[in-house]
Amino acid sequence: MEKVTQKEYWDQVSSYADMAVEMARYAIGRLEELISHLDSLPQPSLEKVLEHLSSEDISTKPEKERLYLWTGLIKLAFEHKRFADEKWALSPDTVSRVEYVAEKLAPKNPLVLHSRLFNDRDWDLNEEKEDWQEQQQELEVRRQQAIKEILGYAGIDAVVLFATTVESPWKVGISLGFIGEAGIDSVILPNLLEAESKNLAQFASGYVWGRHQSQGWAWVDKIDTIGWSQSQIAQFLADLPFTEETWKRSEELLGQFEKEYWCKASVNPYQTDCELYSAIDKLIKYGRPIAALNCLHKILLKKQPLDNARTVQALLSAVSSTEPAYAMDTYHIAKIIKALQEDPATNPDDLFHVEWAYLPLLDRHRGASPKLLENRLASDSSFFCEVIRFIYRSKKKPTSDEEPTEQQKAIAANAYRLLHEWRTPPGMQAEGKFSEDHFRQWLQSVRVACTESGHLEVALIHVGKVLIHCPPDTKGLWINCAVAEALNGKDAEEMRNGFRTGILNSRGVHWVDPTGKPERDLAAKYRQQAEDVENAGYQRLAATLKSLAESYERDAERIVAEHKAEVKE
């Protein structure tokens, strides 16, 4: 088969490109599509497209038809100016040519011309890569100049109309707030504060923010709110920064109806450096505990001590809060709970309820775990047995077709999650030492209670799983002798099965080495452990470990065989 030469390849590319250009000449939709691939065309074809775009056939078309062509060219030029140093970027001369053609197609109506300045992607409007803050300031100047043009073009009504057509009416409001005159206040306030149109409400919110940023609190206090509804006053205050100055005015203007403000406020604790606990109290009082937790997280970040009582109240209230789910930052909540766990002043009963309520969040991937719950499982056999009963049906009770309630399902899910993540074996003490006496007493109590309730087998399986985390014996054996003795018992088969499962699960997700070496290393490890406990007199436990070693040997052989088969294919 003959190879295609480079010249033949480019001749074909140019031919197809010319065909695409010709097909797009008389169809605006195709021309719009072609512009998005303009930088992929050979230079001669690109020039043909630019020449056609700058012709009277295109430049005299109605603005609505030219709009997407102009937008596409602007985006293309911007992209290649931003990445001018990249190999794929168009030459500066070509970019200038694109900008020249775009200028010919630019809309004359400022409401159309400036709409792209008010989108939600500021990055798309900044040409330089460095000094983001300076770029933002320059962008705001451009936006304010655009609003001035629209005001000059058709007055405040045109600006209001403009706000209903752009992606970010809030930014329109901010820019108007910076440049607007006092007479504009009465056009926007209070009528648009709670407008049915989402765009107009956001526009009014941005206006309040911009006026406050440019005029300060003096402007806020000059606003005559006589005749305003409590809801309008609350919304006006909610559009201001979340600071103590706003909170004071909420009390002054709303008095006994200040709940209106706290229910509407956009809670951003990073807008203030003042003490936040007064705001936290209000948020909890008026049904916004999740927002209160955001404030508590800021306190934590500032390395300031948390008020435990308020923190517990906010956490427990947030469980049943009607605030939107997206308002809850689970990472922040895990950090707050971890801070409670590390504070010796935290009430253990409070922490117990918090850990139980937030058990799904307390996984080790977030750097948190249900420490108190795990310790209680290990220290209180009755609590362990209760958790087992939450999950499993008793063997002594007949099978029932009765569907569990949602609450029962939730409790069972929490209980299972707790046992699945349990890492603290019974016998471990708070100071990190292992008590053999406590372990034996705990296990005996579990045997008695679970035999009576009909849950013995499943309870012993879970006990076996957690015992993989027990410490070595002080006399040198890799496992504590009291634990080894319990696992070796004639009546401990379920516990040994759980121990084996716990070891297998502890490996987690892993990369498969085609040589099977990791599996052989594990097989050698457990063969040695089996030999050690056998020499110590624990033959049944040794048999379990030997079977584990054999399973890893089989895994290694299977992996190697599968890899060889893949290579042959």
Side-chain angles (χ1 to χ4, degrees):
M1 179 177 175
E2 295 183 9
K3 290 185 178 180
V4 177
T5 66
Q6 191 173 34
K7 180 179 182 305
E8 289 173 330
Y9 170 78
W10 282 110
D11 284 346
Q12 286 193 37
V13 170
S14 298
S15 177
Y16 288 128
D18 288 344
M19 289 172 61
V21 171
E22 193 62 31
M23 291 170 65
R25 289 176 70 89
Y26 306 106
I28 288 289
R30 290 177 179 174
L31 204 51
E32 291 170 11
E33 178 67 21
L34 190 59
I35 286 174
S36 65
H37 301 286
L38 207 58
D39 50 0
S40 300
L41 296 178
Q43 189 68 25
S45 302
L46 185 153
E47 290 294 341
K48 287 180 184 178
V49 175
L50 293 179
E51 183 179 350
H52 178 58
L53 288 171
S54 59
S55 68
E56 285 192 12
D57 286 346
I58 301 299
S59 61
T60 57
K61 287 186 178 296
E63 284 192 352
K64 283 187 178 180
E65 293 187 32
R66 302 199 316 264
L67 178 60
Y68 291 106
L69 301 178
W70 168 72
T71 302
L73 291 172
I74 289 292
K75 287 182 178 179
L76 180 71
F78 171 78
E79 187 77 6
H80 285 268
K81 287 176 73 174
R82 178 190 283 175
F83 299 103
D85 295 335
E86 301 294 336
K87 291 181 179 180
W88 50 263
L90 295 174
S91 69
D93 288 343
T94 302
V95 173
S96 296
R97 173 94 167 108
V98 171
E99 289 180 317
Y100 169 76
V101 175
E103 190 174 343
K104 292 190 69 173
L105 300 180
K108 300 297 185 287
N109 185 336
L111 277 73
V112 179
L113 179 66
H114 297 308
S115 62
R116 63 183 298 271
L117 285 175
F118 297 89
N119 63 30
D120 292 321
R121 303 173 302 281
D122 285 359
W123 173 250
D124 289 347
L125 300 169
N126 292 320
E127 294 183 3
E128 302 297 330
K129 295 181 182 179
E130 300 168 357
D131 201 342
W132 176 255
Q133 188 172 7
E134 183 180 341
Q135 292 176 71
Q136 287 298 101
Q137 292 171 352
E138 292 175 357
L139 179 56
E140 181 52 36
V141 169
R142 289 166 61 194
R143 285 172 173 156
Q144 290 176 24
Q145 184 59 41
I147 298 302
K148 285 179 182 178
E149 287 185 29
I150 295 173
L151 277 172
Y153 176 74
I156 184 60
D157 289 343
V159 178
V160 174
L161 175 62
F162 180 66
T164 65
T165 65
V166 297
E167 282 186 19
S168 181
W170 190 71
K171 291 174 182 175
V172 176
I174 290 177
S175 298
L176 179 63
F178 271 91
I179 67 167
E181 299 177 355
I184 294 177
D185 289 350
S186 60
V187 176
I188 298 172
L189 306 175
N191 297 329
L192 298 185
L193 286 170
E194 296 184 305
E196 290 186 9
S197 164
K198 183 179 178 181
N199 273 34
L200 288 179
Q202 289 181 358
F203 166 66
S205 174
Y207 179 77
V208 171
W209 183 271
R211 289 301 276 170
H212 170 262
Q213 292 297 305
S214 60
Q215 305 294 316
W217 291 106
W219 171 78
V220 174
D221 294 333
K222 285 179 183 177
I223 297 294
D224 184 3
T225 58
I226 294 176
W228 291 26
S229 69
Q230 292 162 0
S231 182
Q232 287 172 331
I233 294 173
Q235 186 59 58
F236 174 69
L237 294 169
D239 292 334
L240 294 169
F242 187 70
T243 66
E244 193 171 23
E245 291 292 334
T246 304
W247 310 336
K248 288 177 181 177
R249 285 164 177 78
S250 172
E251 289 185 12
E252 294 167 1
L253 295 174
L254 292 171
Q256 62 179 321
F257 301 104
E258 66 172 343
K259 177 181 179 180
E260 293 270 1
Y261 164 72
W262 290 101
C263 288
K264 293 175 182 287
S266 178
V267 178
N268 183 350
Y270 300 94
Q271 290 174 352
T272 182
D273 291 325
C274 75
E275 189 268 333
L276 282 168
Y277 279 117
S278 61
I280 289 169
D281 289 340
K282 298 285 188 184
L283 291 167
I284 294 173
K285 179 180 179 180
Y286 295 123
R288 299 190 63 189
I290 294 176
L293 288 171
N294 291 335
C295 295
L296 286 163
H297 183 256
K298 188 210 171 178
I299 293 173
L300 194 61
L301 282 183
K302 292 289 185 179
K303 301 190 183 303
Q304 298 170 350
L306 293 176
D307 181 286
N308 287 351
R310 284 184 172 106
T311 304
V312 169
Q313 186 181 5
L315 284 166
L316 295 180
S317 298
V319 174
S320 57
S321 174
T322 57
E323 294 167 272
Y326 64 77
M328 181 180 287
D329 190 314
T330 55
Y331 176 79
H332 290 174
I333 290 177
K335 289 293 184 184
I336 291 171
I337 295 174
K338 189 175 181 181
L340 288 178
Q341 292 172 331
E342 293 172 353
D343 185 351
T346 303
N347 183 298
D349 288 337
D350 288 342
L351 187 55
F352 177 89
H353 289 104
V354 167
E355 287 189 356
W356 183 261
Y358 288 92
L359 194 57
L361 303 186
L362 299 178
D363 63 48
R364 288 164 176 80
H365 298 294
R366 292 187 175 94
S369 61
K371 292 181 180 179
L372 188 141
L373 290 175
E374 287 198 5
N375 288 335
R376 186 165 292 190
L377 281 175
S379 61
D380 185 350
S381 61
S382 61
F383 177 61
F384 169 78
C385 295
E386 184 179 11
V387 170
I388 289 291
R389 291 195 296 272
F390 282 148
I391 308 171
Y392 301 101
R393 191 187 305 276
S394 170
K395 282 193 171 183
K396 294 186 175 182
K397 291 184 179 180
T399 303
S400 172
D401 294 330
E402 185 179 348
E403 183 71 16
T405 66
E406 290 303 317
Q407 183 180 14
Q408 289 172 326
K409 289 179 182 178
I411 291 174
N414 253 16
Y416 181 79
R417 189 176 287 109
L418 176 60
L419 286 182
H420 182 70
E421 294 293 326
W422 189 22
R423 299 289 186 275
T424 308
M428 287 301 298
Q429 306 298 292
E431 64 275 12
K433 294 182 179 179
F434 187 81
S435 170
E436 294 182 355
D437 288 340
H438 181 272
F439 167 73
R440 292 189 182 98
Q441 292 169 7
W442 185 95
L443 183 58
Q444 180 58 27
S445 297
V446 167
R447 284 184 175 278
V448 172
C450 288
T451 297
E452 183 178 341
S453 68
H455 297 88
L456 181 62
E457 289 82 359
V458 71
L460 291 179
I461 288 172
H462 281 286
V463 173
K465 287 179 181 179
V466 77
L467 290 181
I468 69 170
H469 301 289
C470 76
D473 195 80
T474 55
K475 296 180 181 178
L477 188 64
W478 61 268
I479 187 172
N480 180 274
C481 287
V483 174
E485 182 180 349
L487 286 166
N488 195 62
K490 289 182 179 180
D491 56 353
E493 184 177 354
E494 288 86 1
M495 200 154 51
R496 288 192 293 274
N497 289 339
F499 189 77
R500 186 179 191 277
T501 301
I503 291 174
L504 290 169
N505 292 344
S506 67
R507 191 181 185 192
V509 178
H510 58 278
W511 175 73
V512 178
D513 184 338
T515 66
K517 183 179 183 303
E519 285 70 27
R520 289 197 174 94
D521 289 344
L522 287 170
K525 172 185 174 180
Y526 293 116
R527 271 197 304 272
Q528 182 61 55
Q529 288 189 351
E531 184 179 337
D532 292 341
V533 294
E534 187 170 32
N535 291 337
Y538 307 117
Q539 285 81 11
R540 296 184 186 89
L541 177 58
T544 297
L545 292 166
K546 286 178 183 178
S547 71
L548 186 62
E550 290 168 1
S551 73
Y552 278 120
E553 282 287 6
R554 289 193 296 272
D555 285 345
E557 292 170 2
R558 174 183 53 78
I559 289 169
V560 171
E562 289 177 353
H563 178 65
K564 287 181 178 179
E566 289 174 2
V567 171
K568 288 181 179 179
E569 290 178 3

